[in-house]
């Protein structure tokens, strides 16, 4: 076990977190910094990233910021290629994601493509680019942020459910190929987390009540609830964990 026998330390590692500005990504970046990692924060734009980088530096780690729209596959590929040439990225957290809420018959082709681009294609491009370097070094961790909708169809979110199912499949496919090369690929599957992503659900009293009634833990998740599982999957404690999709859902899927 690495990191001086401290199973949950990621000291000396550099982590790239997408969607770091808000919600789960922000909590994951801070938790990884507290566990010893230096951070590269990826946003759609630079907005809000400087403050987070400052907060991470205040906790004694280094932090830099980069920006590219994950819907723009060529821009993602170009930035990732540059980053891979400049930095040794040990930990990749494919956290950024987007959602479009509409019945399937009302889902436009452009909304479908947008969700698939951001939630699936970008994760593959980043995993492929950084994973190749990790394999050359014989070490690395990739954590994809999936969803309980990697297992369920959800309500009025067909593109999102399809993308998150595919992300779970990609996690397993990459783990099959890369585990023997020292690269761990896993995912976390959050349940219902109080972030911008779920504002519309919490604003609807009926949906909000229905969701809460189904969560055995009796509360929505906080972003920090998900961050702990991400740190675990990045840490030496998870050395032998490959291709797993770890639900962090207050018991939602158990019901
Ligand atoms: P959030 O606060 O809305 O965060 C989403 C992040 O993704 C934002 O930082 C956003 O950046 C980034 N993002 C969205 N579209 C992007 C694009 N085109 N290019 C670059 N970045 C983009 O919501 P969250 O709940 O923390 O979501 C994080 C992940 O958790 C997502 O993959 C989501 O699907 C997943 N998840 C969330 C829940 C939940 O209940 N909240 C449940 C299961 C899974 P900007 O703000 O700059 O656009």
């Amino acid at each position: 076990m690495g990191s001086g026998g401290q199973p949950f330390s990621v000291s000396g590692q550099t982590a790239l977190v997408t969607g770091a500005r808000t919600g789960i990504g922000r909590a994951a970046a801070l938790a990884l910094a507290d566990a010893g990692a230096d951070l590269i924060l990826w946003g759609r734009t630079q907005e809000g990233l400087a403050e987070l980088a400052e907060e991470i530096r205040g906790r004694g780690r280094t932090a830099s910021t980069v920006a590219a729209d994950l819907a723009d596959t060529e821009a993602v590929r170009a930035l990732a290629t540059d980053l891979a040439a400049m930095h040794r990225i040990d930990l990749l957290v494919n956290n950024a994601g987007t959602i479009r809420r509409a019945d399937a018959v009302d889902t436009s082709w452009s909304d479908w493509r947008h969700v698939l681009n951001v939630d699936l294609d970008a994760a593959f491009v980043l995993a492929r680019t950084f994973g190749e370097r990790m394999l050359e070094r014989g070490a690395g961790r990739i954590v994809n942020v999936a969803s309980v909708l990697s297992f369920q169809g959800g309500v009025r979110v067909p593109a999102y459910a399809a993308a998150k199912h595919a992300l779970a499949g990609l996690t397993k496919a990459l783990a099959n190929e890369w585990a023997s090369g020292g690269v761990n690929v896993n995912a976390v599957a959050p349940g219902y987390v109080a972030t911008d992503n779920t504002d519309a659900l919490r604003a609807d009293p009926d949906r909000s009540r229905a969701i809460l009634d189904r969560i055995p833990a009796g509360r929505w998740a906080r972003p920090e609830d998900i961050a702990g599982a991400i740190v675990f999957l990045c840490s030496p404690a998870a050395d032998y964990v490959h291709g797993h999709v770890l639900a962090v859902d207050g018991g939602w899927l158990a019901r």
Side-chain angles (χ1 to χ4, degrees):
M1 192 175 285
S3 294
Q6 293 183 285
F8 298 102
S9 169
V10 289
S11 179
Q13 310 277 295
T14 298
L16 171 63
V17 179
T18 65
R21 187 181 66 84
T22 53
I24 295 167
R26 180 186 175 83
L30 289 168
L32 285 164
D34 287 343
D38 294 318
L39 268 298
I40 299 174
L41 310 169
W42 182 311
R44 189 170 46 82
T45 66
Q46 284 284 357
E47 191 194 335
L49 292 181
E51 293 148 29
L52 178 58
E54 208 41 53
E55 190 170 344
I56 288 168
R57 287 185 208 111
R59 297 180 183 204
R61 309 312 320 168
T62 71
S64 55
T65 67
V66 296
D69 186 339
L70 292 174
D72 182 344
T73 306
E74 282 319 309
V76 173
R77 202 189 314 277
L79 177 55
T81 304
D82 286 353
L83 285 173
M86 286 186 301
H87 299 275
R88 192 201 69 210
I89 289 167
D90 305 293
L91 315 171
L92 167 65
V93 182
N94 273 322
N95 162 74
T98 194
I99 194 163
R100 293 282 190 274
R101 299 181 193 282
D103 290 343
V105 292
D106 296 325
T107 296
S108 67
W109 179 246
S110 70
D111 276 355
W112 171 268
R113 281 306 328 153
H114 181 73
V115 172
L116 269 290
N117 275 339
V118 174
D119 293 5
L120 179 63
D121 298 351
F124 174 67
V125 170
L126 295 179
R128 188 182 182 285
T129 305
F130 296 111
E132 194 174 2
R133 301 300 171 101
M134 292 174 185
L135 288 167
E136 285 164 12
R137 295 192 297 270
R141 301 291 172 106
I142 298 173
V143 179
N144 296 319
V145 178
S147 170
V148 288
L149 299 191
S150 296
F151 306 99
Q152 301 176 308
V155 178
R156 303 181 67 245
V157 286
Y160 185 81
K164 294 296 187 180
H165 273 71
L167 191 57
L170 176 65
T171 300
K172 295 171 194 177
L174 295 179
N176 288 342
E177 287 192 32
W178 295 354
S180 63
V183 178
N184 298 63
V185 186
N186 291 289
V188 295
Y192 287 81
V193 191
T195 67
D196 294 351
N197 176 293
T198 50
D199 271 350
L201 297 180
R202 277 172 293 115
D204 176 339
D206 294 338
R207 277 290 277 136
S208 181
R209 170 53 49 198
I211 288 166
L212 200 55
D213 282 349
R214 196 192 186 282
I215 302 174
R219 65 169 176 85
W220 285 63
R222 295 180 283 267
E224 295 73 22
D225 290 316
I226 314 305
I230 292 172
V231 173
F232 163 65
L233 291 171
C234 286
S235 76
D239 269 351
Y240 201 61
V241 182
H242 291 280
H244 188 63
V245 184
L246 175 57
V248 185
D249 65 351
W252 173 276
L253 289 174
R255 174 148 286 182

